[in-house]
Amino acid sequence: ATVHEVHLVTVYEDMEDGDNYGDDMEEEEDVDDDEVDAMDVEEKKLSDFPGVGEMQSEIERLERSRWKDVKVEVKAALEVIKQSDGAVENIIRAAASSSLLGRIALSFLTPFLYTRNSNGCPVTSMRAINFISFDGEVMEKLWAAGEEGRTAWCIAWEYGSRGRKDSEISGYVPRGVGVDGVVDTLGRKLQEIYFKTGIKGNLEGRFMVAAQKVWRDIWERSERSRNIVSDRRKFVWSDVRGTGVDKDGLRGEMETEDGGEYLGMFKNAKTGRILKDLPFSIAFKERYAMWCALVEQAKSITHAFSGVMDDGGFRAPSYVQIKVRREKLLEDSFEELWKLGGDLRKKLQVNFINEHGLEEAGIDGGGLFREYLEALIEEGFLKRGYFKGTDNETLLPKEMERGGGEVMEFLGRILGKAVYENVLVEPRFSRVFLKKMLGRSNAVEDMKFFDEEIERNMSKMRDLREEDFNNLGLTFEVSSRTDARGRYLGTKPQMVPLLPNGLDTPVTKANVLQYIYLLSHHKMNIELHQATIKFLKGFREIIPEKWIAMFSPEELQMVIGGEEGPINIPDLKAATVYGSGYHLSQPYIQDLWDILENECTEEEQRNFARFQTSVGRRPIRGWGSLEPRPAIQQVHVGEGGGGAGERLPTASTCMNLLKLPKYQDRKTLKMKLKQACNSGAGFELS
């Protein structure tokens, strides 16, 4: 569509479509004076605008076509456009699709996205978008009018759905079809195009693009609000299976700056295309297996040899040795690892320096590295103040102070290293931040994951009366530590306009949605912008964006820290190995597992897993996928050691090892086990 590129026209489109609004936050382009004058025109005849003659010719053609049943609605829609205030030319110019109904649906984009007049005042035409996107009868007729009608329906849904809450979606689908029916119908057609017919013409091409956007929108809403569809497995195409990794293709893609496209990394190009366009149509377990294969192949390329010859003609091994002090963990790690950049993918061998300045005994066979990485992430993400907690106990980066960019970039590399090495870590990140990691921007409905109080207040504002707004005296401004370009203003918040002249622009019943969109955008996208781009710069040096684009925010959190929910004690039991006299067949060990499974709450079970492995969540591929595997070792307490009855169980989390004394009875075992696990300690008790 051809539309005026005026201030804030595309703000909400950026938020929804994943464009990183603010990544290039430089000076804004000035609006051409002629365009401003055109927007100020309120009284013009419909026939005065470019493209209208062609549209009216198409309307005449409707009388002879199968679209006759929607002719009245089409003419009425054009009348609404003609009568709308401001931005009329934008509406008409947006109607540039080769399909009449596509043009009409697209024509509602501009008034919905809001523009301004020459005085900087917001101008909207919600009547227009309401007419077609919120009128169930018109939408139902479009849905029933064949593939072309459903294409227009999808376009109208795409833009109209941006004003709808997740809880409202079921009221805006065809009666008798429901959300489930929409998912089934669009899914079948998309699957047919992908696997049977291909794109045979412009109509199918337009349908494919529009239908994919609707499918993705409903899928994301169903992930955010679980009651949208009856069964989320409806999105999975059962006949799509994973594909192997093309090592040569991956090697070439790893050499590209952005990590490459899926099409070159997998043996089956069609599966690669689906991963790029509709990843959720492949079951998560299948995608995760492909991800693991991708990383393992990347490791085989990186870890074998660095490929650099030294002066003696020998190839240098692809590992890096570092020495760090425990009490200066973050500072020493930064000093040792910052210069590596993307070479942090190489193996690390860690030597700890004690408080006396001496190297601690032992050789790092992998356990010390794991302990080091877990401790470093705890230090950087939980203790130093670079991240803040949300209402639902997840993490977001704080507004970045000047000079803090290198540390955020370094923390991004460290988390990327943990993901690359399949080391599960404890921090849980906000969905808002996870979407940024995936290269997506946040929408209004994501506010509940950012700040529940703001979300509640925004929800109430939708239902206020005009006199309520007059009493509130709100204007288009927000209290923030960052300006409209994402630049840090200092520790003391300042009032920041959400649009030009925002301090003097009142919030009214007519423009409240615009205010909600802009407030959400500033809070979730702009305030986080500087810290996020620095963090992602480091993270993507280890894990390119396209490598994780196959996941949703919730799935990415599982990749980082394991599955939420019950930890599955039977699976942990099956994966555990024993040493120093213990064996699964012994009644004492059977008592241990029976206590954990039947006499502990889910929280206590998670505490046990956290005590032994440092993470209270189950790995995606089960406990047997941990390296090293979970183990239980008998602790022999000699005379003078306090006796087994007095000693608590201890753990070496770097080895996933539980050190369990043999108590005299089941009651003591249960008491000591719960006491140790609920203490929140682990390795340091040894």
Side-chain angles (χ1 to χ4, degrees):
T2 302
V3 296
H4 288 304
E5 298 274 335
V6 295
H7 183 71
L8 295 175
V9 167
T10 58
V11 164
Y12 198 64
E13 185 175 29
D14 289 342
M15 294 172 65
E16 287 288 295
D17 292 347
D19 295 336
N20 289 328
Y21 181 82
D23 282 2
D24 186 22
M25 289 188 177
E26 300 298 331
E27 289 299 315
E28 195 175 7
E29 291 186 10
D30 293 330
V31 180
D32 185 81
D33 290 338
D34 293 337
E35 293 181 356
V36 171
D37 292 340
M39 286 185 286
D40 286 336
V41 175
E42 295 185 1
E43 297 297 332
K44 269 185 177 289
K45 295 180 180 179
L46 186 63
S47 58
D48 292 341
F49 296 108
V52 171
E54 180 186 351
M55 291 177 68
Q56 291 182 330
S57 297
E58 291 281 351
I59 291 174
E60 294 174 2
R61 186 178 63 82
L62 288 177
E63 298 178 356
R64 302 185 299 275
S65 72
R66 57 196 175 104
W67 298 109
K68 188 174 182 179
D69 58 339
V70 297
K71 180 185 67 173
V72 175
E73 284 75 18
V74 170
K75 286 187 174 180
L78 290 175
E79 285 301 311
V80 171
I81 292 174
K82 180 176 68 174
Q83 296 168 10
S84 62
D85 297 331
V88 179
E89 188 173 13
N90 285 6
I91 295 170
I92 301 302
R93 288 189 176 184
S97 168
S98 58
S99 159
L100 170 65
L101 293 180
R103 288 206 305 273
I104 292 173
L106 281 173
S107 71
F108 292 93
L109 165 62
T110 303
F112 184 67
L113 289 179
Y114 300 99
T115 182
R116 59 171 179 163
N117 61 20
S118 58
N119 296 320
C121 296
V123 179
T124 183
S125 180
M126 287 305 296
R127 286 177 297 169
I129 190 66
N130 285 343
F131 184 86
I132 195 164
S133 289
F134 290 83
D135 189 305
E137 184 177 354
V138 174
M139 290 292 280
E140 284 188 18
K141 289 184 177 181
L142 289 176
W143 178 266
E147 193 167 307
E148 190 169 2
R150 285 178 184 164
T151 301
W153 184 94
C154 288
I155 296 171
W157 166 286
E158 179 197 351
Y159 295 115
S161 66
R162 295 173 178 178
R164 301 170 184 154
K165 300 178 183 179
D166 292 343
S167 58
E168 298 172 340
I169 288 300
S170 60
Y172 295 99
V173 295
R175 287 171 293 184
V177 177
V179 178
D180 282 1
V182 170
V183 171
D184 290 340
T185 301
L186 297 184
R188 282 196 301 270
K189 183 61 180 178
L190 287 170
Q191 194 170 7
E192 179 182 316
I193 293 174
Y194 269 103
F195 292 99
K196 295 180 181 179
T197 64
I199 299 176
K200 295 184 291 187
N202 290 336
L203 176 58
E204 281 196 335
R206 290 194 300 271
F207 171 83
M208 185 175 179
V209 171
Q212 284 182 160
K213 290 182 177 180
V214 173
W215 227 44
R216 283 196 296 263
D217 178 61
I218 297 177
W219 175 76
E220 182 167 343
R221 290 176 183 274
S222 71
E223 184 180 52
R224 201 164 48 204
S225 305
R226 297 293 179 176
N227 59 347
I228 299 295
V229 295
S230 61
D231 188 347
R232 296 185 73 243
R233 288 176 294 183
K234 287 179 173 291
F235 293 99
V236 177
W237 294 342
S238 58
D239 56 346
V240 181
R241 293 291 181 264
T243 180
V245 177
D246 186 318
K247 189 170 183 177
D248 292 334
L250 174 60
R251 189 191 305 272
E253 299 291 359
M254 287 175 66
E255 294 172 356
T256 64
E257 184 176 345
D258 62 356
E261 287 280 4
Y262 284 131
L263 304 186
M265 294 189 287
F266 295 104
K267 294 179 179 179
N268 187 325
K270 184 174 291 186
T271 302
R273 171 61 67 184
I274 294 173
L275 275 176
K276 184 175 183 295
D277 295 337
L278 298 171
F280 49 87
S281 65
I282 302 177
F284 171 63
K285 296 291 185 181
E286 292 276 350
R287 283 181 281 128
Y288 184 70
M290 295 167 67
W291 152 257
C292 291
L294 175 66
V295 172
E296 287 305 312
Q297 287 284 22
K299 286 180 182 178
S300 70
I301 295 171
T302 302
H303 286 177
F305 289 97
S306 65
V308 177
M309 293 285 189
D310 62 18
D311 294 338
F314 296 98
R315 290 187 182 275
S318 60
Y319 64 83
V320 178
Q321 292 181 316
I322 63 172
K323 298 178 181 180
V324 293
R325 294 168 292 177
R326 290 185 182 272
E327 69 274 14
K328 294 288 185 180
L329 193 61
L330 184 59
E331 291 81 359
D332 287 358
S333 298
F334 183 88
E335 183 69 24
E336 292 270 0
L337 300 177
W338 173 253
K339 57 183 178 291
L340 292 179
D343 281 346
L344 192 57
R345 284 181 183 167
K346 295 178 180 179
K347 291 181 179 179
L348 293 184
Q349 287 189 344
V350 181
N351 290 326
F352 283 108
I353 307 298
N354 63 25
E355 64 272 18
H356 304 295
L358 301 175
E359 289 188 25
E360 296 181 2
I363 298 174
D364 185 7
L368 281 179
F369 163 71
R370 187 168 178 269
E371 179 202 346
Y372 160 75
L373 201 56
E374 291 165 353
L376 180 58
I377 286 176
E378 181 180 4
E379 184 78 13
F381 288 87
L382 302 178
K383 294 182 177 181
R384 290 299 188 93
Y386 296 107
F387 283 74
K388 60 184 177 182
T390 64
D391 296 333
N392 54 10
E393 300 181 347
T394 57
L395 294 180
L396 279 169
K398 287 185 177 179
E399 297 94 333
M400 192 179 71
E401 299 182 12
R402 292 179 178 88
E406 287 189 346
V407 176
M408 287 301 296
E409 185 176 340
F410 178 69
L411 291 178
R413 291 181 192 169
I414 294 303
L415 184 64
K417 178 66 172 176
V419 172
Y420 188 73
E421 300 293 351
N422 194 30
V423 175
L424 300 182
V425 295
E426 188 62 23
R428 293 176 59 245
F429 297 98
S430 168
R431 174 187 172 87
V432 171
F433 186 56
L434 292 166
K435 287 185 73 173
K436 302 298 286 184
M437 291 178 67
L438 292 167
R440 306 171 195 170
S441 288
N442 292 286
V444 172
E445 286 290 316
D446 293 308
M447 179 58 77
K448 59 187 174 185
F449 303 100
F450 181 86
D451 189 308
E452 292 180 355
E453 183 178 0
I454 293 178
E455 193 275 334
R456 285 193 296 269
N457 290 335
M458 291 195 313
S459 182
K460 292 176 182 177
M461 290 180 68
R462 295 170 182 259
D463 301 321
L464 293 180
R465 299 168 299 175
E466 189 63 54
E467 52 266 34
D468 296 325
F469 286 102
N470 294 334
N471 294 333
L472 286 173
L474 289 174
T475 56
F476 275 72
E477 58 185 339
V478 61
S479 176
S480 179
R481 294 185 180 90
T482 60
D483 66 11
R485 301 288 182 186
R487 295 170 296 203
Y488 186 66
L489 297 174
T491 57
K492 186 178 180 180
Q494 300 180 30
M495 298 310 296
V496 177
L498 294 173
L499 79 175
N501 299 320
L503 303 181
D504 300 317
T505 305
V507 179
T508 66
K509 182 71 173 177
N511 64 23
V512 65
L513 287 182
Q514 180 189 21
Y515 174 76
I516 289 173
Y517 297 154
L518 296 178
L519 176 63
S520 301
H521 181 58
H522 186 92
K523 284 292 182 182
M524 293 187 289
N525 295 322
I526 294 180
E527 283 188 351
L528 301 181
H529 174 71
Q530 294 295 339
T532 299
I533 60 173
K534 288 296 185 181
F535 183 91
L536 292 182
K537 181 181 179 182
F539 183 82
R540 289 170 181 169
E541 287 180 342
I542 312 300
I543 305 291
E545 178 184 341
K546 292 182 175 67
W547 288 20
I548 56 173
M550 66 177 77
F551 298 125
S552 71
E554 285 72 17
E555 291 166 348
L556 178 58
Q557 178 59 56
M558 287 194 287
V559 173
I560 293 171
E563 292 183 344
E564 298 290 343
I567 66 167
N568 195 335
I569 292 295
D571 182 55
L572 178 57
K573 177 182 177 180
T576 298
V577 296
Y578 304 88
S580 301
Y582 282 147
H583 191 273
L584 177 60
S585 62
Q586 295 169 339
Y588 185 72
I589 296 300
Q590 292 294 322
D591 282 344
L592 168 69
W593 292 114
D594 186 59
I595 291 169
L596 287 170
E597 185 170 5
N598 300 311
E599 299 179 30
C600 290
T601 65
E602 284 191 7
E603 182 61 28
E604 288 173 331
Q605 291 175 350
R606 283 192 289 271
N607 288 342
F608 173 78
R610 186 179 297 110
F611 180 79
Q612 182 178 6
T613 69
S614 80
V615 179
R617 295 184 288 273
R618 178 177 177 267
I620 295 172
R621 292 187 294 176
W623 292 105
S625 65
L626 285 187
E627 296 180 7
R629 290 178 61 177
I632 299 177
Q633 174 182 307
Q634 183 174 352
V635 176
H636 299 281
V637 182
E639 294 184 7
E646 298 179 11
R647 180 168 178 171
L648 289 172
T650 57
S652 293
T653 55
C654 65
M655 299 300 292
N656 301 319
L657 176 64
L658 173 67
K659 300 175 182 179
L660 181 67
K662 190 166 185 179
Y663 300 110
Q664 60 183 358
D665 54 42
R666 178 188 174 108
K667 180 179 179 181
T668 305
L669 170 62
K670 177 180 177 180
M671 179 184 68
K672 295 293 185 180
L673 187 67
K674 287 192 174 186
Q675 185 179 350
C677 294
N678 294 335
S679 69
F683 183 85
E684 63 273 15
L685 284 177
S686 293

